Amino acid sequence: SYLLTQAAIPDLKIMLYSGQNDIICNTIGTLTYAPNLNWLPIKLWEVTPRSALKNDDGTVVGFYKAYKQFSFGLLYDAGHMAPWDQPESARILLRKFIENSFEQEEEEVLMEMLKETSPEVVEMLISQ
């Protein structure tokens, strides 16, 4: 399980991604699968807002959401072979993942979470 891997390799980074038009491994399925992973702060990832994925000229080519080592990206106008369909967008997403340059600040995520969460989740956050 990923929980075992996370304990053995605590800094392991994971990124899931989908093409917007993928009918084989669709985005809804991937987003439904992600919260079922045994990754400790998955609840924090769930409340992380999406951010626009932009190319060099500022055009939005998808979105991403990332919290600590776990991230998800969606590439617009791409199917099951997303890097083949949108190589530039896939390169941008992969570069952000490798360089850990997703622009979501942990403090923003925590503040957003505190606005709309139960006391149990806040307690979980404090204990991490």
Side-chain angles (χ1 to χ4, degrees), residues 36-100:
N36 293 309
L37 292 171
N38 289 326
W39 183 62
L40 297 175
I42 197 69
K43 294 293 183 196
L44 299 175
W45 177 83
E46 286 184 276
V47 299
T48 301
R50 300 186 318 180
S51 297
L53 181 67
K54 297 178 182 179
N55 67 12
D56 294 336
D57 71 6
T59 303
V60 176
V61 295
F63 73 81
Y64 64 88
K65 61 187 288 180
Y67 182 77
K68 294 195 178 191
Q69 303 106 299
F70 190 78
S71 53
F72 169 78
L74 177 84
L75 301 177
Y76 293 157
D77 300 321
H80 187 65
M81 301 295 289
W84 178 270
D85 297 335
Q86 295 296 332
E88 181 64 18
S89 302
R91 184 191 63 77
I92 293 166
L93 182 65
L94 186 59
R95 186 184 74 230
K96 284 186 167 296
F97 175 71
I98 291 170
E99 295 175 353
N100 200 29

